[in-house]
Amino acid sequence: MVDDHPVVLQGFRQLAEMDEIGQVYEAGDVVSAYRIFHRHRPGLVIADLSLGEDGLSGLSLIRRIKALEPATRILAFSMYDDPVIAARTVQAGALGFVMKDSSVEVFLEALEAVRTGRGYLPHTIATGIAMLDLAPDRSPLARLNARELQILSLLGKGKTYTEIARILTLNYRSVVSTAAVMRVKLGAGSLAELIHIALDQSGARTG
């Protein structure tokens, strides 16, 4: 179980005990999560997409886990309800996706589905993804790759280019260049407009 909030981990631990899921390992960041996974190779991973200041770094964790153990079953949860992010998560290798504000019943339903090898998406998210397939330009986020989504998420949290470069261990010029590409993809005429889009897409939420 991967989340950077101890209270959330405690809640998941209790749910796991209710569901008799077996041995549970916990991690609060990408590095420790991958280290624990590499050592113990659990068959099921439950991971938040937004860990600490790392934007959507949960996506990179999912890709690394699947590259190491393709058979691993992963349930991702997120504060974002955008179908594009859900689609990116499934493309990265997750078998299920659920919102962080879902009820306990929904979470347990998703957990059981993923644990038994079945995919799980909330109905509204699944419908949204289907609509994206029919109209790929419906959501501006559909035009962005995983790294661009990560940087956009951090811009929405008020981070500067310098802070983003430090958080993601990127070259400052690389962040500036990526932001310029995003402006073109999203039709933003300035950094201010790009930040406005970031805030609009994320709802300026934290979680």
Side-chain angles (χ1 to χ4, degrees):
M1 295 182 176
V2 189
D3 192 279
D4 56 351
H5 294 87
V7 173
V8 175
L9 286 175
Q10 180 181 357
F12 284 151
R13 189 187 315 119
Q14 292 173 348
L15 290 176
E17 291 171 354
M18 289 170 51
D19 211 32
E20 298 181 351
I21 204 169
Q23 177 66 49
V24 176
Y25 304 98
E26 299 175 2
D29 58 77
V30 170
V31 174
S32 59
Y34 187 75
R35 185 184 301 120
I36 291 171
F37 181 84
H38 192 276
R39 178 181 303 170
H40 299 286
R41 307 296 174 100
L44 175 66
V45 174
I46 304 168
D48 189 2
L49 292 183
S50 301
L51 298 168
E53 295 186 328
D54 296 336
L56 294 171
S57 60
L59 287 174
S60 63
L61 175 64
I62 291 170
R63 284 192 292 268
R64 291 180 66 187
I65 287 174
K66 293 296 287 188
L68 183 64
E69 288 287 352
T72 305
R73 295 166 180 174
I74 301 175
L75 172 62
F77 60 98
S78 175
M79 63 181 177
Y80 299 102
D81 59 0
D82 193 293
V84 174
I85 293 178
R88 300 286 192 197
T89 304
V90 172
Q91 290 168 2
L95 194 55
F97 179 95
V98 69
M99 297 299 301
K100 290 189 77 170
D101 59 1
S102 298
S103 66
V104 171
E105 290 76 18
V106 168
F107 176 78
L108 290 176
E109 180 182 355
L111 179 62
E112 179 63 20
V114 171
R115 188 171 64 168
T116 56
R118 295 177 287 117
Y120 184 91
L121 288 172
H123 177 71
T124 54
I125 294 292
T127 300
I129 291 175
M131 294 302 294
L132 287 173
D133 290 337
L134 294 174
D137 290 331
R138 184 177 181 184
S139 170
L141 294 184
R143 307 185 185 101
L144 305 184
N145 61 36
R147 175 61 78 192
E148 291 164 348
L149 282 170
Q150 200 171 27
I151 291 175
L152 187 70
S153 171
L154 290 168
L155 285 172
K157 293 179 179 180
K159 303 300 180 183
T160 65
Y161 286 161
T162 300
E163 291 172 324
I164 293 172
R166 175 183 56 79
I167 290 168
L168 300 181
T169 61
L170 294 174
N171 180 279
Y172 175 85
R173 290 181 180 274
S174 177
V175 175
V176 173
S177 176
T178 301
V181 171
M182 287 193 294
R183 283 173 54 187
V184 172
K185 288 185 177 182
L186 301 177
S190 64
L191 173 60
E193 287 185 31
L194 185 61
I195 292 174
H196 178 76
I197 291 172
L199 290 170
D200 186 55
Q201 292 297 328
S202 68
R205 291 173 295 181
T206 59

